[in-house]
Structures are given as C-alpha cells and as structure tokens.
Amino acid sequence: MERLQKIISARGVTSRRNAEKLILEGRVKVNGVVITELGYKTTTDADIEVNGKSTTKNNEKFYYLFNKPRLVLTTMRDPKQRKTVADYFKDTPTRVYPVGRLDYDVSGLIIMTNDGEFANFVMHPRYEFFKTYQGLCKGKVSKQQVNQLLKGVKIEGDYFTKAIEAELLNYDQEKDQSIVQMTIAEGRKHHVKQMFLAIEANLMKLKRTKIEFLEIGDLEIGQYRELKPHEVKKFYGIYQSTKRKEDLKNK
C-alpha cells in the first residue's frame, strides 16, 4: 500500500506535489471512486484515473534537459491557452513534466522527467542543488552591488539570502548594459529577480544557464537533449550523500 500521490508520481503522470493538488480538486479516481483525501493509500497496481484518463505503470524513466524560451509557462497546460513546456514534448515516448519552475519571462535550463522520486528530491530545498543565472541589466552594475549579493540581501521583507557565487561578466559601454552571473541554492518565488531588486540593479532579462553540473552549452533555445545515464546517477549520488550527512547529523 502506498499513498495515492506517490503512485501517481511514480507512474510518470505528474509530480507528487501536483498530484496532491489534483486529488484535492477531485480529479483523481481509484477503482472508479473519486478520492479527495491526501492520506489515502492504495495498492500500486490499482486502477487510477487522472482527469478522466487511465494511468498505466511505466517502469522506464526518461530525463531531458530543456532550454526553455521566454514567454513559455512551466506547466503542462494553461487555461488561457498560452504556450507551455508540454508543447515541446509531444513526441517523447511518455509524458514528462518539469522539475521545479522557471518564470514565464525567464529563459534557460529546466529538467523534464517522468521519474517522480528524482523530481521530488531535486526540487526539495533541503538538498540545495545549485542553479546559476545570468541577468542582463540596464546600466553598469558596480563591484559593490555584486559584493552585496555575496554578503547577502533581504527579500520578501525580512528573508535573508545570499549568492554562493556572483560576478560581473561583462559591461557593454556602448549599450550601457551589464551581464551579472550568480549561483544560488534556494528557489523561492521570483528569488533571483528579488535579489537583483534588492541591490537596485535594473534587470531586463534573466536566464538560467546551469543546474548543478549541467550547463547550457550549445543547447539552442526551445531544444532539449536526453540526460546521459552517468548524469542521472550523479544527481542521485549528490542526493544520497546529502541525505546520509543529514541522517547522521540527526542521530
């Protein structure tokens, strides 16, 4: 017996977090009965319908690194009919969904998968996977402003946060534009945007160029590639190492 949201996630339908939302909205049936209780448990081979469609157990896992364009939603569907990441993954062998989120107006890397366990630990703030961003700012961003990102700033009122790494990559005097790169290990809503706001930098565009050891490289906007087996194993290795340290600390 397993929790319903865990089974849905394991079948590659959606993330566990989104599965919980679907359950609460009454959009999940088990053996023909609508379930709205998050603590509900059933057998792993139960007949489960999500949004009126039967799910099947899928043992094969798929992982893709996607360079999301700007003005694309990190969701599988949109009531307003705006473009979503799902529009780029119609020809994959199975349904995959995004690991975490990237703002509508932000471009760059996001992982797509049908592996619920993988998605859950990569998204979980406890494991602090590094993410690197490049911000295009109007005007020259000073060394003092960059250093402030490293020392720490307050966002959302009184929440203190700081960059693990930050540097001014380039200043184009003719265009009067700066490119600032920073790496963080957190992921609050609009986190990076608020950090730029806190140092009074005029952010014009933002893109994510790196997730842990995965770099954007020559991956074109709107394109994706399959993760190599050793890359997936490396993520699991970081997860297991961090989890082990935490378990020992809590003993």
Side-chain angles (χ1 to χ4, degrees), residues 9 26 96 133 173 190:
S9 176
V96 292
Y133 298 81
Q173 190 169 2
H190 307 315

Side-chain angles (χ1 to χ4, degrees), residues 3 8 14 46 62 71-72 83 85 99 112 125 167 181-182 184 202 211 236 242-243:
R3 287 184 181 271
I8 292 171
T14 187
F62 294 88
L71 308 184
V72 171
K83 207 160 193 177
V85 292
V99 179
M112 303 285 291
E167 63 177 314
Q181 178 169 284
M182 79 164 95
I184 64 171
N202 187 0
I211 302 174
Y236 270 98
T242 308
K243 188 174 185 298

Side-chain angles (χ1 to χ4, degrees), residues 136-153:
L136 177 67
C137 302
K138 182 65 179 174
K140 186 172 184 179
V141 177
S142 68
K143 288 183 179 179
Q144 289 80 5
Q145 287 172 296
V146 173
N147 287 336
Q148 192 58 53
L149 293 172
L150 294 167
K151 291 177 182 177
V153 295

Side-chain angles (χ1 to χ4, degrees), residues 66-68 99-103 106-111 130-134 186-187 206-211 214-216:
F66 177 47
N67 187 354
K68 185 187 87 70
V99 179
R101 291 195 174 275
L102 204 55
D103 285 353
V106 176
S107 65
L109 297 183
I110 191 161
I111 298 173
F130 292 177
K131 298 177 181 70
T132 300
Y133 298 81
Q134 287 181 7
E186 299 179 83
L206 185 65
K207 69 177 176 179
R208 184 192 285 166
T209 58
K210 194 173 178 182
I211 302 174
L214 298 175
E215 299 190 51
I216 203 163

